[in-house]
């Protein structure tokens, strides 16, 4: 008997020893090596894997930044300068982290748009979608909390704008705002609790939700751009005929995507880390000053569409005691909340936009273009025309969802093929 | 064989018992709350285990697939067991323990949520500030810091007070033609522009200004050109949407207390 065979049998007996106590092989097969995925998908299906990569970048760079960061009002801004100037490769850690935040949102928006296009939320994938929506919500919270930490001018004043939204809630608002801030003004007390939330609470929740998201996905199976159910036709071994094992087929197709992603990612990190003021805003290179507001408070690009919606509401409901600020907050919250109910709004008998009718296609174009327009407007100062455009776009943002139960039910759909 | 008496746990509801007085293992079975025991007539541990499983299978009278393979023995037929459950009692226990658990969680949440409230230090820093008005001349303005916000305290001249009604047509909030926040001599305002929180400048002089030919005194914000009169009322057609805010304040003789409402 050769040495090779000997060691192999040792390895396999080792594995079976472990497997009896902790089902490694079973789970590897279930989630990786034998997990069937549709064999024909398009580039939209790569964003999920890339999101995992970005999440890991954020966790690792975040841990390293935490080693040098000071979470006090006096020390925060100086510690960022220290990271940038004195810590070896500190600039790289920070720019990877800040660019990573933008990348996270960029990929997330495409990942979710894929879901909307190809019906990745339809029965039985509702929970996959819901967990994903929760992840978007957590990511937005995480990004906001993290943006406050450098304690620059924009950190401070943008946080003021957002926290004052809580203050606009009738009756409980002012007390709630003071409770969140831990002070009567946004101060170092707020900063250190935001630090704890940013580095521990929200990331832990996100990891849990990523696990739920993937477990749910592997229970119901991944979708495809055709909306064909690959589970229908199986070979003698029970493997779907239109499916392929995740590893090596999908892992290796994700590698070139990862390569392209890293080229773009590091091009930004090395050559345009501030993204012309869109990724890190100019006023944030100045320390927070309580008495001096920046001329123009603009959110980072990834919040801009939602900020636009917030600003577009210039009227309240006086007889209900709702101010325009609070109504703006409600509509802003609704713009994210409405995503959660999409699985129950879509009454279509097909999954994919390819087989849906003309109204679904118009709705998606309206939604996407209004999202982009709102994003552009959110970074610009307000004037009357822009406010009007933002109001129209807000309507176009909501209309595709609100009218979805009607047009998906009555529009003419094409027949979905049996096989992929 | 062991010298001491001891129970050896095999599986749920199955155990072996040995003591030094008897050479044999005893088998114990707990089936649906009933205890069965018998001597297994063997001194060998493995043999005793086998006999115990065989005896259990016999009691369940389920002869299918029940050799020495332990995995299958776990799949015994529950329907054969006679289980008496007091549903009422179980429900009552569930409800009471549920409520007690909820109360415990709520109790433990109190310190954690309370820790987020402003600390004593923050409260001290945010406490009310006193300001002596006797040294403030008519027409002069003092800036007092309260909760990191500049507070404007203006000692109005009689002329300024008389001029206020003339501005009624120019300001958004017409009704407010008396000094909104004073004992008729002093005006107390937050020195933060209601547009984008810049600091408005105090221009009490009555003379034509670059921003207003008929200026009767007031506040002008250099950031975006918002105009307010001396009572803090906002002019029409400027970016600021509302009047300058009035902080809670009260007068006690010649002392102004900012942070306490009257």
């Amino acid at each position: 008997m050769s040495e090779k065979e000997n060691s192999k049998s040792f390895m396999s007996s080792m594995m079976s020893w472990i497997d009896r106590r902790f089902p490694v092989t079973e789970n590897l097969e279930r989630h990786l090596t034998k997990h069937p995925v549709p064999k024909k998908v398009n580039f939209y299906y790569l964003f999920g894997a890339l999101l995992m990569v970005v999440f890991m970048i954020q966790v690792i760079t975040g841990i390293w930044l935490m080693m040098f960061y000071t979470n006090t009002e006096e020390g925060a801004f100086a510690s960022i300068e220290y990271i940038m100037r004195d810590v070896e490769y500190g600039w790289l850690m920070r720019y990877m982290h800040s660019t990573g935040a933008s990348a996270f949102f960029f990929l997330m928006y495409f990942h979710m748009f894929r879901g909307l296009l190809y019906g990745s939320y339809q029965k039985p994938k509702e929970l996959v979608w819901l967990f994903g929506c929760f992840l978007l919500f957590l990511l937005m919270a995480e990004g906001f909390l993290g943006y406050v930490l450098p304690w620059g001018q924009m950190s401070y004043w943008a946080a003021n704008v957002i926290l004052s939204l809580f203050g606009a809630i009738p009756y409980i608002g002012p007390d709630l705002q003071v409770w969140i801030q831990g002070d009567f003004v946004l101060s170092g007390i707020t900063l250190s609790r935001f630090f704890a939330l940013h580095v521990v609470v929200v990331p832990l929740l996100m990891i849990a939700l990523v696990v739920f998201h993937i477990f749910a996905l592997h229970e119901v199976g991944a979708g495809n751009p055709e909306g064909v159910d690959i589970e229908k036709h199986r070979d003698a071994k029970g493997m779907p005929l239109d499916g392929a094992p995740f590893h090596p087929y999908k892992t290796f197709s994700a590698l070139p995507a990862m390569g392209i992603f890293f080229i773009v990612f590091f091009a930004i990190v090395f050559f345009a880390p501030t993204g012309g003021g869109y990724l890190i805003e100019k006023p944030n290179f100045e320390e927070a000053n309580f008495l001096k507001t920046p001329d123009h408070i603009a959110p980072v690009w990834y919040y801009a569409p939602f900020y636009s919606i917030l600003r577009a509401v210039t009227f309240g409901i006086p007889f209900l005691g709702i101010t325009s600020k609070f109504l703006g907050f409600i509509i802003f919250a609704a713009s994210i909340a409405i995503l959660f109910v999409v699985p129950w709004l879509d009454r279509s008998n097909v999954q994919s936009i390819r087989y849906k009718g003309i109204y679904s296609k118009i709705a998606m174009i309206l939604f996407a273009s209004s999202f982009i327009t709102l994003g552009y407007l959110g970074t610009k100062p307000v004037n009357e025309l822009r406010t009007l455009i933002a109001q129209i776009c807000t309507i176009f943002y909501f209309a595709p969802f609100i009218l979805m139960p009607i047009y998906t039910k009555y529009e003419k759909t094409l027949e979905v093929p049996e096989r992929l | 064989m062991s010298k001491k008496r001891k129970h050896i746990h095999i599986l749920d509801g199955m155990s072996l018992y040995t003591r030094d007085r008897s050479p044999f293992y005893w088998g114990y079975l707990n089936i649906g709350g009933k205890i069965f025991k018998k001597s297994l007539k063997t001194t060998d541990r493995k043999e005793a285990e086998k006999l115990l499983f065989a005896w259990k299978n016999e009691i369940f009278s389920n002869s299918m697939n029940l050799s020495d393979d332990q995995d299958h023995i776990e799949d015994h037929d529950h329907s054969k067991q006679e289980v008496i459950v007091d549903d009422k009692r179980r429900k009552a226990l569930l409800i009471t323990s549920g409520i007690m658990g909820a109360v415990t969680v709520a109790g433990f949440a109190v310190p954690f949520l309370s820790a987020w409230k402003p600390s004593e230090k923050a409260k001290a820093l945010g406490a009310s500030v006193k300001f002596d008005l006797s040294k403030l001349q008519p027409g002069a303005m003092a800036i007092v810091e309260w909760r990191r916000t500049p507070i404007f305290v203006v000692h109005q001249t009689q002329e300024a007070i008389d001029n206020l009604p003339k501005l009624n047509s120019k300001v958004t909030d017409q009704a407010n033609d008396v000094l909104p926040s004073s004992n008729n001599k002093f005006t107390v305002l937050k020195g933060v522009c209601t547009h984008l929180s810049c600091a408005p400048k105090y221009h009490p002089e009555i003379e034509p200004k670059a921003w207003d030919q008929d200026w009767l005194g007031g506040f002008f914000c250099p950031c975006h050109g918002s105009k307010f009169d001396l009572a803090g009322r906002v002019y029409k057609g400027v970016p600021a949407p509302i009047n300058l805010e009035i902080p809670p304040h009260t007068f006690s003789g010649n002392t102004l207390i900012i942070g306490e409402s009257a």
Side-chain angles (χ1 to χ4, degrees):
Chain A
M1 201 186 261
S2 73
E3 225 171 76
K4 220 177 183 179
E5 275 172 44
N6 249 336
S7 71
K8 200 182 171 190
S9 74
F10 173 74
M11 279 305 287
S12 65
S13 67
M14 183 81 179
M15 272 322 287
S16 72
W17 187 90
I18 294 170
D19 280 337
R20 267 186 66 87
R21 288 152 183 84
F22 180 73
V24 176
T25 309
E26 186 194 321
N27 279 299
L28 274 182
E29 285 179 352
R30 185 169 145 72
H31 296 293
L32 212 59
T33 52
K34 290 192 179 160
H35 176 62
V37 286
K39 62 181 177 188
K40 268 191 232 161
V41 291
N42 59 12
F43 77 101
Y44 268 116
Y45 288 79
L46 293 164
F47 291 110
L50 292 178
L51 277 163
M52 291 291 284
V53 173
V54 174
F55 196 8
M56 275 194 273
I57 291 176
Q58 292 306 82
V59 169
I60 294 166
T61 54
I63 291 170
W64 256 257
L65 287 171
M66 213 165 89
M67 295 173 187
F68 307 101
Y69 173 75
T70 311
N71 61 334
T72 62
E73 192 181 331
E74 298 77 28
F77 192 77
S79 74
I80 300 294
E81 288 181 324
Y82 168 68
I83 289 169
M84 293 300 289
R85 294 168 189 175
D86 298 336
V87 178
E88 262 194 64
Y89 290 107
W91 59 271
L92 181 66
M93 301 292 169
R94 175 160 181 252
Y95 281 153
M96 278 178 77
H97 202 72
S98 63
T99 310
S102 279
F104 216 142
F105 276 97
F106 180 83
L107 298 170
M108 189 81 136
Y109 288 150
F110 271 99
H111 189 63
M112 293 187 80
F113 189 56
R114 188 281 317 270
L116 289 175
L117 282 184
Y118 300 133
S120 310
Y121 48 79
Q122 279 190 3
K123 190 183 167 188
K125 297 197 193 94
E126 297 98 325
L127 282 183
V128 182
W129 177 261
L130 274 195
F131 292 140
C133 289
F134 268 116
L135 275 166
L136 173 71
F137 170 72
L138 287 175
L139 181 66
M140 294 182 79
E142 182 72 347
F144 165 68
L145 295 166
Y147 203 81
V148 178
L149 300 186
W151 209 240
Q153 270 288 66
M154 203 47 95
S155 300
Y156 185 81
W157 291 100
N160 248 332
V161 170
I162 300 300
L163 284 171
S164 74
L165 292 179
F166 290 98
I169 298 172
Y171 307 113
I172 57 161
D175 287 336
L176 181 69
Q177 189 185 347
V178 167
W179 181 74
I180 294 171
Q181 286 173 177
D183 204 341
F184 303 103
V185 286
L186 179 57
S187 73
I189 298 169
T190 324
L191 175 68
S192 46
R193 70 184 49 175
F194 277 14
F195 177 67
L197 295 175
H198 180 77
V199 301
V200 183
V201 181
V202 182
L204 273 184
L205 290 173
M206 285 183 80
I207 290 170
L209 273 164
V210 167
V211 171
F212 294 171
H213 190 65
I214 289 170
F215 272 22
L217 174 71
H218 287 185
E219 190 62 36
V220 296
N224 53 71
E226 294 283 302
V228 170
D229 183 8
I230 63 162
E231 306 279 324
K232 270 191 200 163
H233 300 278
R234 291 164 181 277
D235 64 11
K237 286 179 190 161
M239 193 73 180
L241 286 171
D242 291 325
F246 185 82
H247 178 77
Y249 293 93
K250 296 297 147 177
T251 44
F252 279 92
S253 73
L255 278 179
M258 241 174 256
I260 293 166
F261 169 74
F262 276 127
I263 289 170
V264 177
F265 181 79
F266 282 106
I268 295 169
V269 168
F270 292 141
F271 301 113
T274 61
Y278 284 101
L279 307 186
I280 303 177
E281 291 158 294
K282 288 185 183 91
N284 232 27
F285 288 90
E286 208 179 307
E287 189 168 5
N289 183 344
F290 289 81
L291 302 177
K292 188 183 155 223
T293 321
D295 287 346
H296 164 53
I297 301 179
V300 211
W301 73 268
Y302 40 81
Y303 294 130
F306 302 102
Y307 185 64
S308 245
I309 290 176
L310 181 77
R311 279 198 311 196
V313 183
T314 50
F315 45 85
I317 310 173
F319 66 93
L320 290 176
I322 294 174
T323 58
S324 62
K325 201 174 187 182
F326 182 54
L327 187 65
F329 185 35
I330 294 173
I331 307 274
F332 158 75
S335 68
I336 296 152
I338 201 156
L339 296 170
F340 283 78
V341 292
V342 168
W344 295 276
L345 295 178
D346 187 353
R347 303 275 174 89
S348 188
N349 54 353
V350 298
Q351 280 191 16
S352 169
I353 193 83
R354 292 182 183 177
Y355 298 96
K356 279 184 176 172
I358 185 74
Y359 295 113
S360 289
K361 286 171 187 166
I362 293 170
M364 274 303 113
I365 291 167
L366 267 185
F367 168 74
S369 48
S370 63
F371 188 77
I372 292 166
T373 313
L374 284 168
Y376 169 76
L377 293 171
T379 61
K380 298 281 163 206
V382 276
N383 62 27
E384 263 176 44
L385 178 67
R386 286 189 186 133
T387 303
L388 182 69
I389 298 173
Q391 284 167 343
I392 294 167
C393 284
T394 303
I395 292 167
F396 284 157
Y397 176 96
F398 281 101
F401 298 119
I402 292 166
L403 301 176
M404 199 181 252
I406 302 162
Y407 66 75
T408 52
K409 195 171 177 186
Y410 295 107
E411 74 183 354
K412 243 184 156 179
T413 56
L414 299 172
E415 203 177 321
V416 181
E418 268 296 296
R419 296 283 305 274
L420 202 56
Chain B
M1 205 180 81
S2 158
K3 283 288 162 199
K4 282 187 228 157
R5 57 171 68 185
K6 64 171 181 185
H7 270 285
I8 304 156
H9 181 80
I10 307 293
L11 275 174
D12 274 355
M14 296 173 75
S15 60
L16 291 172
Y17 179 66
T18 114
R19 54 180 182 171
D20 45 10
R21 258 187 271 159
S22 159
F24 296 133
Y25 276 97
W26 281 69
Y28 276 73
L29 287 177
N30 179 344
I31 292 158
K34 279 187 193 166
I35 308 286
F36 298 88
K37 63 173 179 175
K38 81 169 184 185
S39 171
L40 295 168
K41 299 269 160 62
T42 173
T43 54
D44 181 63
R45 164 82 194 273
K46 281 204 171 147
E47 185 68 26
E49 258 179 55
K50 264 188 195 172
L51 284 168
L52 185 66
F53 280 116
W55 182 40
K56 189 183 179 185
N57 297 340
E58 203 180 295
I59 287 178
F60 283 135
S61 64
N62 190 346
S63 54
M64 296 268 290
N65 290 329
L66 296 172
S67 54
D68 347 12
D69 193 345
Q70 296 191 8
D71 290 348
H72 290 282
I73 287 169
E74 281 176 316
D75 305 333
H76 54 63
D77 191 345
H78 281 279
S79 64
K80 293 274 164 73
Q81 297 179 31
E82 202 185 317
V83 184
I84 303 152
V85 178
D86 185 345
D87 275 326
K88 231 176 156 182
R89 189 178 146 82
R90 180 173 280 187
K91 209 174 174 184
L93 283 171
L94 275 174
I95 291 170
T96 40
S97 51
I99 290 171
M100 281 167 71
V103 168
T104 312
V105 169
F108 272 106
V110 169
F112 289 95
L113 295 179
S114 301
W116 267 35
K117 289 200 282 195
S119 62
E120 288 307 318
K121 194 179 165 189
K123 275 192 238 167
L125 286 172
S128 52
V129 237
K130 284 180 184 162
F131 179 72
D132 182 9
L133 295 166
S134 58
K135 284 171 197 156
L136 196 65
Q137 296 299 315
M141 182 184 84
I143 300 177
V144 184
E145 197 187 315
W146 173 70
R147 290 187 181 172
R148 305 198 191 194
T149 312
I151 305 294
F152 293 168
V153 183
V154 183
H155 190 166
Q156 306 283 9
T157 59
Q158 193 53 49
E159 193 186 10
I161 295 171
D162 294 340
N163 277 336
L164 283 177
K166 293 183 196 164
L167 290 167
N168 278 2
S169 60
K170 288 189 178 174
V171 295
T172 313
D173 204 356
Q174 285 178 26
N176 217 348
D177 64 346
V178 288
L179 291 179
S181 64
S182 67
N183 61 359
N184 279 327
K185 259 200 244 165
F186 296 99
T187 299
V188 184
L189 299 163
K190 272 192 190 176
V192 179
C193 180
T194 49
H195 175 225
L196 282 172
S197 310
C198 286
K201 297 275 178 294
Y202 179 53
H203 291 283
E205 54 284 345
I206 301 167
E207 59 185 34
K209 293 281 184 187
W211 57 83
D212 193 339
Q213 284 304 306
D214 311 313
W215 187 246
L216 290 175
F219 300 93
F220 177 72
C221 181
C223 294
H224 304 94
S226 291
K227 293 183 285 184
F228 306 88
D229 71 6
L230 279 168
R233 296 183 299 176
V234 66
Y235 276 65
K236 284 177 189 164
V238 296
I242 52 168
N243 297 344
L244 288 178
E245 281 180 67
I246 301 161
H249 68 279
T250 182
F251 296 94
S252 160
N254 257 340
T255 311
L256 165 69
I257 304 164
I258 302 165
E260 275 174 32
S261 9

